[in-house]
């Protein structure tokens, strides 16, 4: 399995500011994913981040609001820009980790719990 | 598009008893992956068990097992000998063989009582 570290684990942010979340993986992975989990809700995919190319965003999410970097095969960042209270969520980084014989498995970081005030 | 349905928003079970969480999904794909994740109050998503659609044998991980019925598009999770530490949200998730993104159900909140 992959070990995924996220920073910050929790933060309280002022309305109108931006915050960058970091995700570090202990092994090289092709694809990294960013999910959002709003309070009391399930997880929704924000975007897929490939190294060396622009991130692919899901419907309802745009690059200006959630810029993503993927400078190498073990690291990615997600920025939540111009935050409003509606952005209060848990943001989770995840990676695919191919098992040796049987295909894909998705692992998650600890999550970054953002509260916008 | 694939959809995942968890029809039980909340469940409770006594310690040492067995509980089954339900999950159904809808897809036109023939090969795919199914997962159960556990999210305790710490909010980390922890992989519980994984099933590949082309495998007929149900996956098992210690006290956790699944009942995978491909024709019925059903993927239930059975937790045996429930422990207090099993208290968490449980999410069922689907992934196609060609994709990497997960489609999640809305979750089932499980409470294990003494």
């Amino acid at each position: 399995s992959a070990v995924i570290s996220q920073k910050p684990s929790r933060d309280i942010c002022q309305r109108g500011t931006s915050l960058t979340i970091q995700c570090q993986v202990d092994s090289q992975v092709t694809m990294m994913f960013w999910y959002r989990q709003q309070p009391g809700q399930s997880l929704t995919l924000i975007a897929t981040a490939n190294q060396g190319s622009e991130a692919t965003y899901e419907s309802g999410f745009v690059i200006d609001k959630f810029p993503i970097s993927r400078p190498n095969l073990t690291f990615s960042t997600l920025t939540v820009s111009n935050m409003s209270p509606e952005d209060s969520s848990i943001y989770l980084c995840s990676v695919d980790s191919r098992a040796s014989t049987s295909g894909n498995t998705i692992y998650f970081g600890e999550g970054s719990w953002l509260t916008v005030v | 598009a694939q959809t995942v349905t968890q029809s039980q928003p909340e469940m409770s079970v006594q310690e040492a008893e067995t509980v089954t969480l339900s999950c159904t999904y809808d897809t036109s794909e023939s090969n795919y992956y199914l997962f159960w994740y556990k999210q305790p109050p710490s909010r980390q998503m922890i992989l519980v068990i994984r099933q590949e659609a082309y495998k007929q044998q149900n996956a098992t991980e210690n006290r956790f097992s699944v009942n995978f019925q491909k024709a019925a598009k059903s993927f239930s999770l059975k937790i045996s000998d429930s422990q207090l530490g099993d208290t968490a949200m449980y999410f069922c998730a689907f992934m196609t063989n060609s994709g990497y993104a997960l489609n999640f159900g809305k979750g089932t909140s499980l409470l294990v009582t003494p």
Side-chain angles (χ1 to χ4, degrees), chain B residues 9-67:
Chain B
E10 297 179 348
M11 294 192 71
S12 65
V13 63
Q14 282 195 317
E15 205 173 1
E17 297 295 310
T18 296
V19 64
T20 299
L21 309 184
S22 300
C23 174
T24 59
Y25 58 94
D26 186 25
T27 184
S28 58
E29 303 275 338
S30 59
N31 199 15
Y32 45 87
Y33 301 89
L34 294 161
F35 305 86
W36 279 98
Y37 286 90
K38 167 186 176 180
Q39 188 178 43
S42 67
R43 300 296 181 178
Q44 182 164 9
M45 292 290 285
I46 301 167
L47 177 66
V48 174
I49 202 164
R50 173 181 177 276
Q51 175 80 42
E52 295 148 63
Y54 68 88
K55 288 188 174 180
Q56 292 186 341
Q57 185 174 7
N58 289 326
T60 300
E61 289 288 342
N62 301 314
R63 297 183 295 107
F64 299 88
S65 62
V66 298
N67 183 5

Side-chain angles (χ1 to χ4, degrees), chain A residues 35-55:
Chain A
Y35 287 82
R36 181 177 73 180
Q37 186 179 24
Q38 294 177 301
Q41 303 296 313
S42 188
L43 281 74
T44 301
L45 181 66
I46 298 172
T48 302
N50 294 327
Q51 192 264 339
S53 63
E54 284 198 4

Side-chain angles (χ1 to χ4, degrees), chain A residues 2-4 23-33 49-53 69-77 93-97:
Chain A
V3 176
I4 307 166
C23 179
Q24 179 75 52
V25 189
D26 69 341
S27 58
Q28 294 184 342
V29 292
T30 304
M31 304 178 81
M32 297 176 76
F33 309 89
N50 294 327
Q51 192 264 339
S53 63
S69 78
R70 182 79 199 275
N72 57 53
L73 291 173
T74 63
F75 186 78
S76 178
T77 67
C93 170
S94 72
V95 304
D96 75 284
S97 179

Side-chain angles (χ1 to χ4, degrees), chain B residues 21 73 76:
Chain B
L21 309 184
K73 296 180 181 176
S76 61

Side-chain angles (χ1 to χ4, degrees), chain A residues 51-71:
Chain A
Q51 192 264 339
S53 63
E54 284 198 4
T56 303
Y57 289 83
E58 297 299 304
S59 175
F61 298 96
V62 294
I63 188 171
D64 289 347
K65 176 67 175 178
F66 298 101
I68 287 171
S69 78
R70 182 79 199 275

